Amino acid sequence: MIPQSHPPRSRTIASAAVALGVVAALALAVPAHAEEQPSDDGFYSSKQPYIAPTQADIDAYQAAPAGYAPIATESVARHGSRGLSGYKYDALLHLVAATAQAENGFLTPEIGAQFVANLDAITAANVENGYGMLTGQGETQHQGIGSRAFERNTGLFTDAAAGGDRIIAETSGEARATESGENFLLGFGDAVTDAGASAPDLAVPLEPRPDLLYFHKVENPDGTDKAEGSPERERAEAYEAYIEAQTDDGGTIAAATDYIEDLPRSVEVAEDLLSGIFTPEFITAIGTDDAHIWFNTVDGTEHGAVACAPGADPAADPDACGDPEKSIESTVDAAMTLYNLYIIAVDMAEENVEPHTFDFNAYFEGHEADAEWFAYLLDSEDFYEKGPSLAGHTETFAIAQPLLDDFFAMIDARVAGGDVAATFRFAHAETIVPFAALLGLPGSTVAAPDNAAPASAADIYDYATNPWRGAEVTPMGANVQWDVVAREGIDPATGTAFTPLVRMLYNEREIAFAEGCRPVADGSHWVKLTELKRCLTGAAMAESPLIGDTTPIDDTVPGSELAATGVEMDAFTGGIGVLLLTAGAAALVVARRKVARA
């Protein structure tokens, strides 16, 4: 059995087997390919539900060049759709609603009653499901991703099973990441069964790897801290210190996000949204005195007792108790808090049922432009604190370097004859966003000006000039997958074994690697492993990136591939360059073993 590392919940995953070949008895309620595609036009920011690839996306996958066969695959994924991460937004708006009712601050008593009913319902739904846990929608997302991961590489897994190879699955240790891995493996196993095929056993069921997949915090999901003096502890401490300094008074990120939040447009859209719920007098009063500032405590005061969701068991679900430091101190805060319920509601479709139905879409009908602006406000925080951030700085995404090292290390071990055919990793937006910036993935290539005193849109992250969107970079279930192929024999262009090739899928759509990563041929998405290391880490390479090209090459210095994200090559410590002869010989070993099995 896959161990459960999270509190009990109402909808548990039934009997996930260690050996994926014995999951035939696990019938999924919804076939992976039949999931309903969510809308991508609701301005949901990073709470955008995962949009599975279409058959056209899958049909567009490029075949490996002639003679090459799959030897490995690996991925990292964000958890799927979840409920509220804690008793926070719902708790704060409960306090606002209580004040509004006491002061006749709702436009009508009926509007007030419906507002409170919606809050009560979404709280009850989260209490039942578990705060921060996957929703039914999130389970289905990862079941589908797992199913398609097998279908894309059926031959690889069948061959790996025959050869006694292994699959590794890793989690950050956070419950929703672990649940995502469980559901991925259920979908994977279901696809194995449907195909009448076989696949390797898991090496260790969902091994916790907070060092690799929860690198942004010193404290691990299980409450322990990263070991004193360890590299992962030092990286987390440095990142936390950088973000604290940058978001505190005088910090450049603080200056940028304050400038954005203080824009007249922010106040306008906030008041526009709230005007459909509250009276003008109540809206004007928000933030003006202690009675109209609310902290996430029992009585709403700054030093009040910790508030816990009604009906919750804090011992089983500690996230059902709120952070007293969270507050509503302005109309923008109030509107953003309501927006955060609107965007999480789209991830809770299966929990939005009697006896706790809720409707937050109603507050945004006719306010689509407001929703887009709130998405921008939320995106700005993630962009600056996790993504491309400030020009000339790498602190927000260089922290993901060990994950990139691990991607390459997995390939190196495999081509050297290792028995791990696949590694699947499950983590968070805090993992995917910096990793996307480090790789230069679409939408994550443009930094904002490093301006500590912004005075115009030209000085900040702005939708008009920057392509970064949370809904596209890190939707629920966001994933990066690499497939690796190798070829038996000696490459006549180099006189050594053929170099393995790699291609990438981003949210299961095949894309090119970063600009400057040269493919094996024009129009191809396949890249030689040596070229990929050169363009992503600065490792030297001596062969042409093209297949069959005998032109001598001296690529001993890094190119400008990473300039778009502001990465300086000295930020890459612990390089992983591997000599061509070593990689080539290793590829030959694996290729021969594969041929022998056939």
Side-chain angles (χ1 to χ4, degrees):
M1 295 287 291
I2 292 177
Q4 300 295 308
S5 60
H6 49 75
R9 55 183 304 209
S10 60
R11 185 184 55 257
T12 57
I13 299 170
S15 188
V18 172
L20 296 178
V22 299
V23 295
L26 297 173
L28 303 181
V30 180
H33 294 296
E35 62 232 57
E36 182 179 348
Q37 292 287 56
S39 168
D40 63 353
D41 58 0
F43 304 111
Y44 302 120
S45 186
S46 60
K47 305 306 184 292
Q48 168 68 47
Y50 189 69
I51 298 178
T54 65
Q55 189 59 49
D57 292 324
I58 294 171
D59 291 343
Y61 293 167
Q62 295 178 356
Y68 289 83
I71 62 167
T73 188
E74 60 180 323
S75 64
V76 62
R78 184 189 183 189
H79 59 75
S81 288
R82 59 164 172 80
L84 291 168
S85 60
Y87 188 50
K88 177 172 54 178
Y89 306 123
D90 48 344
L92 285 166
L93 286 178
H94 272 111
L95 294 167
V96 174
T99 303
Q101 286 182 320
E103 298 178 357
N104 294 319
F106 284 107
L107 287 175
T108 68
E110 293 75 18
I111 288 176
Q114 185 59 53
F115 189 78
V116 171
N118 283 326
L119 295 176
D120 288 342
I122 199 168
T123 295
N126 278 280
V127 168
E128 181 175 311
N129 189 67
Y131 276 88
M133 305 301 287
L134 285 196
T135 59
Q137 187 168 279
E139 294 175 351
T140 300
Q141 289 162 356
H142 272 287
Q143 289 165 12
I145 296 169
S147 175
R148 291 185 293 273
F150 173 78
E151 291 166 0
R152 189 177 75 251
N153 278 306
T154 299
L156 164 66
F157 292 113
T158 300
D159 184 67
D165 291 334
R166 299 179 296 146
I167 288 175
I168 288 177
E170 300 173 333
T171 168
S172 70
E174 184 78 57
R176 53 184 169 269
T178 301
E179 282 188 301
S180 296
E182 291 168 350
N183 279 281
F184 177 98
L185 296 173
L186 285 172
F188 185 100
D190 188 65
V192 174
T193 300
D194 288 347
S198 58
D201 292 350
L202 286 179
V204 177
L206 285 164
E207 179 184 4
R209 289 293 307 276
D211 58 321
L212 187 67
L213 300 171
Y214 206 76
F215 46 65
H216 61 293
K217 287 186 177 181
V218 170
E219 184 178 7
N220 297 321
D222 65 0
T224 64
D225 286 348
K226 293 176 172 59
E228 289 281 358
S230 65
E232 54 267 23
R233 169 81 175 231
E234 293 175 359
R235 282 191 296 267
E237 287 178 335
Y239 173 75
E240 288 183 335
Y242 174 78
I243 293 300
E244 182 177 0
Q246 282 284 359
T247 57
D248 205 352
D249 291 344
T252 301
I253 291 177
T257 53
D258 286 348
Y259 178 87
I260 292 169
E261 185 171 328
D262 291 341
L263 286 170
R265 177 69 175 152
S266 297
V267 177
E268 290 171 5
V269 298
E271 293 182 350
D272 182 54
L273 179 66
L274 297 176
S275 67
I277 306 168
F278 303 106
T279 64
E281 294 77 16
F282 185 79
I283 294 171
T284 300
I286 293 175
T288 59
D289 56 29
D290 289 344
H292 298 91
I293 291 175
W294 302 270
F295 288 86
N296 189 13
T297 59
V298 171
D299 63 4
T301 63
E302 185 173 5
H303 303 294
V306 171
C308 297
D313 179 2
D317 186 1
D319 291 327
C321 295
D323 179 356
E325 295 184 2
K326 301 299 181 181
S327 63
I328 289 177
E329 303 184 44
S330 68
T331 55
V332 175
D333 287 347
M336 277 296 293
T337 302
L338 179 57
Y339 169 75
N340 274 292
L341 292 185
Y342 160 73
I343 60 176
I344 206 66
V346 75
D347 291 296
M348 298 183 65
E350 295 185 28
E351 292 68 34
N352 189 3
V353 294
E354 293 292 351
H356 39 61
T357 58
F358 46 85
D359 182 8
F360 289 93
N361 286 334
Y363 301 114
F364 286 84
E365 290 177 359
H367 295 274
E368 288 77 14
D370 294 349
E372 182 177 19
W373 187 263
F374 293 130
Y376 168 55
L377 295 181
L378 193 58
D379 280 355
S380 67
E381 294 180 16
D382 287 341
F383 170 87
Y384 277 113
E385 295 184 24
K386 307 179 185 77
S389 198
L390 303 173
H393 289 262
T394 65
E395 291 89 344
T396 55
F397 56 86
I399 192 173
Q401 180 64 35
L403 179 56
L404 178 58
D405 292 346
D406 196 62
F407 263 63
F408 280 122
M410 184 271 178
I411 300 173
D412 290 341
R414 180 62 168 165
V415 299
D419 65 351
V420 176
T423 299
F424 304 121
R425 309 170 183 88
F426 304 93
H428 307 270
E430 290 84 353
T431 314
I432 295 294
V433 174
F435 194 53
L438 186 64
L439 292 180
L441 299 186
S444 294
T445 60
V446 181
D450 181 13
N451 192 325
S456 72
D459 301 324
I460 57 170
Y461 161 71
D462 184 72
Y463 267 9
T465 56
N466 197 300
W468 199 96
R469 302 289 186 275
E472 298 172 7
V473 172
T474 183
M476 296 294 189
N479 57 87
V480 176
Q481 304 190 38
W482 286 10
D483 292 329
V484 187
V485 296
R487 178 177 177 178
E488 185 183 25
I490 300 299
D491 185 349
T494 64
T496 62
F498 285 97
T499 300
L501 312 181
V502 186
R503 65 102 174 266
M504 176 165 58
L505 307 182
Y506 186 24
N507 297 331
E508 298 182 87
R509 280 84 174 169
E510 187 176 85
I511 64 168
F513 282 96
E515 183 179 358
C517 294
R518 301 165 296 187
V520 297
D522 288 345
S524 177
H525 288 153
W526 292 95
V527 177
K528 286 186 178 180
L529 179 60
T530 47
E531 166 64 8
L532 197 57
K533 291 178 177 180
R534 183 199 69 82
C535 71
L536 292 182
T537 74
M541 70 177 287
E543 67 173 318
S544 169
L546 305 177
I547 289 179
D549 186 358
T550 59
T551 305
I553 186 170
D554 181 12
D555 253 355
T556 58
V557 294
S560 58
E561 301 70 48
L562 300 176
T565 52
V567 175
E568 298 293 339
M569 291 315 301
D570 60 8
F572 291 100
T573 57
I576 56 167
V578 176
L579 293 176
L580 170 63
L581 289 177
T582 303
L588 180 59
V589 170
V590 174
R592 282 180 173 166
R593 186 176 64 184
K594 177 177 177 63
V595 170
R597 291 174 192 160

